[in-house]
Amino acid sequence: MSSQRDRGRVYFDHNATAPLRPEARDAMLAALDLVGNPSSIHADGRAARDCVETARERVARLVGAMPSEVVFTSGATEANNWVLTSGWDRVLISDVEHESVLVPGRRSTAEIIPLPVLTSGEVDVGRIADHVLCGPGTGRDLVTLQYANNETGIVQDVAAVAGFCRAHDVAVHTDAVQAAGRLPLQFDALNVDFMSVSAHKLGGPKGIGALIIRDGVTIPNAISGGGQERSRRSGTENVAAIAGFGAAAAAALRDISHMSGLQQMRDAFEAELKVLTPEAVVVGEDAPRLANTSCLAVPGLRSETLVIKCDLAGFSISAGAACSSGKASRSHILMAMGLDDKVVNGAVRLSLGWTTSKADLESFLKRWRELSGGATPLGQTVRMETSSHRRAFP
Ligand code: PMP
């Protein structure tokens, strides 16, 4: 297996997907050799079942839930779609949610109530309270509020919102994809009914995630069939992916204490970058923020240009404005925060994780002047690769 350094590249895109942890890889390889179907009652089936249930316990521990509350899905997109399309009367959706929440919300039959965010990127909790109180109180209202944002790392006060909603019989879903493994999570104490998580953001495989559903809460089953996942999502389990998810969850929980070190590295990096480029803006600098995320803009530089230059120099970073067919689409998250156009058009994201070292950040800073100098000024068109459809910011 070639590491990022063997490949001569530095990977700063953990919020898009984190490199596979060795523990996850080993668990998946071992699980691939299990011949049984977890639903079979013979010894081979029981071995596969044990593997799935061990992983369920590990994921439950990561998020502070009971194993019976964990339902494996194909990822957080499926988990988010499942909750959003479960027959609500009204759904309150924050403006900074991921597309996998926003799009099914728009397509559902529910009345959608958008929740604006303040310039800090934090949702206006008072607005939620106003809407909740003026609703008809049918018991079929949902608030969906992400735990932490994928572009900025800004953390929402889900506990406060969920406590209020619980007291008024309103269900709460939180998309905790970016928070899991980076912040300690306590599903049971949080008063939320649903939580979405995804393996590949914490060093597990892609294409596996979970919806955590509070015991006693019912929503329509996601997929009907043979009754797997307590009938909530039928279909033979993806045993190897589930095993990899479990192993990654255990490793991420073990490593959560490293987050303070990562935060120090990130903060020192941002401080140094601002010395080199005083006009640089750190989005969400004063808000509660994930330790691993740095969303930066240099007014006057276009994010697409910076991403390409970084790529050519061996650094994988992301742009706040995803781009296709030469047309940049602007980040709905940064726009919802009311940021200046120059910041929205210039924002790039570096997201760090279990592979990141201080040397990685230093090597980026060493090249920063060359990377940030001479980028295409705003107003000039930049053509990126010619994919025919708009890709959402991962
Ligand atoms: N929510 C957030 C906040 C995300 O960052 C992502 C991944 N980009 C998703 C949901 C979707 O997760 P998955 O890739 O597992 O479908």
Side-chain angles (χ1 to χ4, degrees):
M1 185 184 59
S2 68
S3 76
Q4 55 176 351
R5 278 177 207 92
D6 297 337
R7 293 184 292 119
R9 294 192 63 84
V10 179
Y11 189 77
F12 287 138
D13 209 6
H14 281 247
N15 288 12
T17 196
L20 192 68
R21 290 177 184 265
E23 297 90 340
R25 190 171 194 276
D26 292 347
M28 289 168 75
L29 289 176
L32 284 172
D33 284 330
L34 294 172
V35 293
N37 183 320
S39 297
S40 298
I41 54 169
H42 48 63
D44 288 318
R46 291 199 307 276
R49 169 60 53 206
D50 279 353
C51 177
V52 168
E53 296 313 316
T54 300
R56 198 187 307 280
E57 281 165 23
R58 291 170 148 188
V59 172
R61 218 168 294 134
L62 176 73
V63 298
M66 291 186 289
S68 59
E69 295 174 314
V70 176
V71 184
F72 289 115
T73 63
S74 65
T77 297
E78 180 187 322
N80 288 343
N81 272 260
W82 183 7
V83 176
L84 268 289
T85 56
S86 283
W88 307 103
D89 288 340
R90 299 192 313 156
V91 183
L92 283 68
I93 305 187
S94 95
D95 285 346
V96 293
E97 296 300 313
H98 190 263
E99 284 83 355
S100 57
V101 169
L102 292 172
V103 176
R106 271 184 229 125
R107 290 188 182 154
S108 77
T109 53
E111 178 194 349
I112 299 299
I113 301 171
L115 296 169
V117 292
L118 307 167
T119 48
S120 66
E122 294 163 280
V123 77
D124 186 346
V125 177
R127 284 286 269 277
I128 300 182
D130 291 346
H131 284 297
V132 164
L133 292 174
C134 78
T138 57
R140 296 297 307 162
D141 288 353
L142 175 78
V143 171
T144 177
L145 179 61
Q146 68 192 188
Y147 210 101
N149 188 267
N150 47 312
E151 289 186 33
T152 62
I154 291 169
V155 176
Q156 302 290 343
D157 193 351
V158 176
V161 170
F164 182 85
C165 290
R166 167 64 55 90
H168 293 87
D169 197 22
V170 169
V172 178
H173 164 246
T174 186
D175 174 345
V177 165
Q178 297 293 346
R182 297 179 184 149
L183 292 173
L185 293 177
Q186 269 308 326
F187 178 82
D188 285 345
L190 198 58
N191 279 320
V192 299
D193 300 277
F194 311 100
M195 177 185 278
S196 305
V197 285
S198 180
H200 72 102
K201 309 288 182 174
L202 45 94
K206 300 166 184 71
I208 186 78
L211 181 64
I212 320 296
I213 306 178
R214 181 169 298 285
D215 250 6
V217 171
T218 50
I219 52 171
N221 296 334
I223 303 176
S224 311
Q228 289 87 349
E229 297 296 282
R230 298 166 159 228
S231 292
R232 291 177 144 172
R233 184 185 188 270
S234 288
T236 302
E237 298 87 341
N238 186 345
V239 178
I242 289 172
F245 187 7
L253 187 58
R254 178 200 65 207
D255 288 353
I256 213 155
S257 56
H258 299 175
M259 281 295 143
S260 53
L262 199 65
Q263 175 156 0
Q264 278 170 14
M265 263 160 49
R266 191 271 317 266
D267 290 350
F269 163 77
E270 289 177 348
E272 182 58 28
L273 190 127
K274 287 208 288 189
V275 170
L276 297 172
T277 311
E279 68 276 25
V281 175
V282 176
V283 176
E285 194 172 17
D286 299 323
R289 208 164 37 120
L290 291 176
N292 80 316
T293 306
S294 189
C295 181
L296 304 159
V298 180
L301 295 189
R302 289 196 78 102
S303 50
E304 306 94 304
T305 313
L306 204 45
V307 168
I308 293 169
K309 284 185 148 197
C310 288
D311 188 23
L312 293 174
F315 300 102
S316 296
I317 70 167
S318 280
C323 187
S324 69
S325 314
K327 275 192 242 143
S329 71
R330 289 145 55 85
S331 155
H332 71 277
I333 292 163
L334 303 182
M335 288 198 293
M337 292 170 67
L339 292 169
D340 190 274
D341 272 358
K342 285 186 178 160
V343 174
V344 176
N345 292 331
V348 294
R349 176 190 70 191
L350 278 75
S351 50
L352 324 177
W354 71 270
T355 58
T356 310
S357 69
K358 206 168 153 213
D360 292 340
L361 291 164
E362 283 168 357
S363 67
F364 186 85
L365 287 168
K366 267 195 205 126
R367 310 272 312 257
W368 174 246
R369 274 197 203 288
E370 161 206 341
L371 293 169
S372 62
T376 311
L378 283 173
Q380 272 182 243
T381 311
V382 183
R383 282 196 77 80
M384 280 188 71
E385 46 151 290
T386 53
S387 85
S388 58
H389 62 287
R390 180 196 178 288
R391 297 267 301 123
F393 194 93

